Amino acid sequence: MYRLYTHNDLDGVGCGIIAKLAFDGNVEIRYNSVMGLDFQVSRFLEKPKKEDIVFITDLSVNENNEKGLDQFVKKGGKVHLIDHHKTAIHFNDYNWAKVTVQYEDGRLASATSLFYEYLLEEGLLTATKSIDQFVELIRQYDTWEWDQNGNTGAKRLNDLFFMLSIDEFEERMVERLKTNQPFKFDDFEEKMLALEEEKIQRYVRKKKRELVQLFIEDDCVGIVHAESYHSELGNELGKDNPHLDYIAIVSVGGKRMSLRTIHDHIDVSAIAGKYGGGGHAKASGCSLTPEAYDYFVAEPFKLDPMRADAFRNQYNQKNSAYGCLYENRDDDQFFVYSTEDELWIVELNGLLLEEEFSSFQEAENFIKRHYSAWLVRDEVFVQFMMENVIELKLYAAEQGDIAPYLISRNETDKQLFSH
């Protein structure tokens, strides 16, 4: 008898689906949460059966079960732990485990892709075009490569997974993959997915208005409370707010927290590890421990949500050569503009900050991180520009040198308001 203990997300269930294809009815599958795996494995180790072949995929066990499995193998038992999380690398010290984070060609691995390759190498499963496509969709979704590649089919597969029960999803996929036809969604699934996409967009728009920003240790963090669509939220909030190092999505009811980042220099698996969790460099999770609660719930509760940038402006636009205007809740004004040397500088309430930036994005990141500022609407920007023109003209008149200023300023005004 084959036994498979795997995760209860898309990647883990993908392992269960190809296990059913490989072993037909001769496999017992248990889908587990991160915490639930150790309970299942410890129960097995209480009364182990040497004739059983045990697979553990997309999850790794705690220290006690690690030792127990090693003893089981030394006594003749058969165990194969297959994982792709960086936090599980140390299991490669055992001959019964294989942890691969990245392939030699640079692609990131998933548990489903690694397990599929193992079954092919051992002659336990025959490759088909349909299974190949299914496994690749899961790999791209789990590693978030689908976003870089524009492969929306991977995201839609995950959406479908969450819309169905695990049993129904498993049954649908197993039957579909038994044929050698190209993998695709049927008409009923297409309609369901279209409705789900609208629901996701509404949910994300609502949560964007609830995002709170603060520093936790050295990181500028965006925090939002949400029970659903963590991947979509993390991706959208990260793209909309590149000044944030990572996004923390908190589920107080579930006492869990998901961490997401779009940045290569941030490893959220290391952050999750501080609270007993783990995962990928750009997508991880952990329990809401008392310490995590203080950082990610209690302190942010005192803060107001971030204000969104104005998005229908014609004049006050980001990266404009004529400058753009930001404000914050303290009524500070930040005027961002470029110099002749192609550097970007910031004026805070008319006073020049010492910092200089090589790009507009760096300048914007700075004022958003340290001052929680937002891009103001056109009418505020126009009023600001008019007030500054009057002040500059009065100053130039006092200096007796108004003509050169008027020429240059008028040219700028013409360009600015000629849209």
Side-chain angles (χ1 to χ4, degrees):
M1 170 68 75
Y2 293 97
R3 294 181 180 273
L4 173 64
Y5 300 101
T6 188
H7 200 189
N8 56 5
D9 68 352
L10 177 64
D11 193 24
V13 174
C15 294
I17 289 167
I18 60 174
K20 286 205 166 185
L21 293 171
F23 307 131
D24 199 11
N26 192 31
V27 59
E28 180 181 305
I29 302 172
R30 296 294 178 90
Y31 295 114
N32 301 276
S33 64
V34 174
M35 302 298 292
L37 172 69
D38 285 309
F39 173 75
Q40 293 289 343
V41 172
S42 62
R43 284 189 60 184
F44 168 78
L45 290 174
E46 289 174 2
K47 296 181 180 179
K49 298 178 181 179
K50 288 186 178 180
E51 64 272 18
D52 287 349
I53 301 175
V54 179
F55 290 96
I56 300 171
T57 58
D58 202 33
L59 292 170
S60 53
V61 296
N62 63 21
E63 186 176 352
N64 287 337
N65 282 327
E66 179 182 333
K67 294 176 181 178
L69 289 170
D70 193 46
Q71 290 297 318
F72 175 64
V73 171
K74 288 177 178 178
K75 293 177 181 179
K78 296 180 179 179
V79 175
H80 301 280
L81 185 146
I82 298 173
D83 197 7
H84 65 122
H85 296 101
K86 186 166 64 173
T87 49
I89 284 290
H90 67 280
F91 280 92
N92 281 332
D93 294 338
Y94 299 101
N95 59 12
W96 45 268
K98 183 177 181 180
V99 179
T100 303
V101 177
Q102 189 172 26
Y103 292 110
E104 292 181 359
D105 61 7
R107 291 177 303 130
L108 294 173
S110 73
T112 302
S113 65
L114 294 171
F115 188 42
Y116 181 47
E117 290 164 5
Y118 171 85
L119 295 173
L120 295 179
E121 290 170 2
E122 296 296 318
L124 297 169
L125 185 62
T126 301
T128 68
K129 185 175 183 178
S130 184
I131 302 176
D132 287 347
Q133 292 174 336
F134 175 73
V135 170
E136 179 61 10
L137 288 175
I138 292 178
R139 188 195 70 79
Q140 287 203 30
Y141 181 79
D142 201 64
T143 61
W144 214 251
E145 284 184 22
W146 74 269
D147 189 46
Q148 302 170 16
N149 301 333
N151 186 356
T152 56
K155 178 188 177 302
R156 298 177 83 220
L157 181 62
N158 187 69
D159 290 344
L160 183 65
F161 169 72
F162 277 103
M163 294 170 71
L164 304 173
S165 67
I166 288 180
D167 289 341
E168 185 178 358
F169 181 81
E170 184 184 66
E171 182 179 351
R172 279 176 171 269
M173 295 302 112
V174 168
E175 290 304 313
R176 191 164 310 175
L177 297 176
K178 285 181 178 178
T179 68
N180 196 22
Q181 300 298 316
F183 182 84
K184 64 178 183 179
F185 303 110
D186 61 30
D187 291 342
F188 175 70
E189 291 165 352
E190 289 284 359
K191 291 177 181 177
M192 289 178 63
L193 288 167
L195 293 172
E196 183 70 1
E197 183 59 33
E198 293 178 6
K199 182 179 177 182
I200 291 172
Q201 290 177 1
R202 289 195 300 270
Y203 189 79
V204 171
R205 283 197 299 269
K206 176 178 181 290
K207 291 300 173 180
K208 282 182 178 181
R209 298 192 293 268
E210 300 174 6
L211 186 67
V212 171
Q213 168 185 319
L214 78 165
F215 273 87
I216 297 179
E217 296 182 345
D218 295 328
D219 296 320
C220 189
V221 185
I223 300 173
V224 67
H225 290 255
E227 301 292 334
S228 308
Y229 309 123
H230 287 188
S231 294
E232 289 83 356
L233 265 177
N235 190 45
E236 288 295 320
L237 294 175
K239 286 181 175 179
D240 286 352
N241 302 280
H243 68 286
L244 298 174
D245 291 311
Y246 64 91
I247 306 295
I249 305 166
V250 179
S251 173
V252 175
K255 296 185 179 180
R256 295 284 301 167
M257 182 169 64
S258 296
L259 307 178
R260 300 288 189 273
T261 185
I262 62 169
H263 302 294
D264 293 333
H265 69 282
I266 298 293
D267 183 354
V268 292
S269 68
I271 298 166
K274 297 177 182 179
Y275 310 106
H280 303 290
K282 294 189 176 183
S284 292
C286 60
S287 298
L288 196 60
T289 64
E291 183 183 8
Y293 179 88
D294 289 339
Y295 279 131
F296 294 92
V297 180
E299 285 300 316
F301 183 78
K302 306 171 187 176
L303 305 176
D304 292 322
M306 295 171 55
R307 286 279 296 273
D309 291 327
F311 61 93
R312 292 179 179 173
N313 285 349
Q314 290 183 307
Y315 306 126
N316 191 31
Q317 296 182 340
K318 297 185 179 186
N319 213 22
S320 170
Y322 309 116
C324 53
L325 183 67
Y326 292 75
E327 289 183 349
N328 66 8
R329 294 186 186 278
D330 296 326
D331 294 326
D332 294 319
Q333 291 187 317
F334 305 83
F335 189 55
V336 184
Y337 59 97
S338 62
T339 66
E340 293 181 356
D341 298 329
E342 296 184 349
L343 293 174
W344 288 85
I345 56 180
V346 179
E347 288 184 7
L348 168 55
N349 297 328
L351 300 177
L352 192 64
L353 296 182
E354 294 182 358
E355 292 82 358
E356 294 182 340
F357 308 93
S358 60
S359 68
F360 168 79
Q361 189 62 64
E362 287 184 12
E364 185 190 49
N365 284 354
F366 178 82
I367 61 175
K368 282 182 172 287
R369 286 171 68 92
H370 297 284
Y371 297 98
S372 300
W374 62 85
L375 188 74
V376 300
R377 299 188 308 274
D378 271 346
E379 53 265 36
V380 179
F381 174 67
V382 171
Q383 182 65 31
F384 170 84
M385 296 299 289
M386 290 175 64
E387 290 173 356
N388 278 274
V389 166
I390 292 171
E391 289 178 7
L392 287 170
K393 285 181 178 179
L394 289 172
Y395 174 77
E398 290 174 0
Q399 300 301 310
D401 190 25
I402 192 169
Y405 167 76
L406 285 177
I407 293 171
S408 61
R409 184 71 234 184
N410 287 341
E411 285 299 313
T412 300
D413 290 346
K414 286 178 183 177
Q415 295 179 58
L416 178 62
F417 300 111
S418 63
H419 293 278

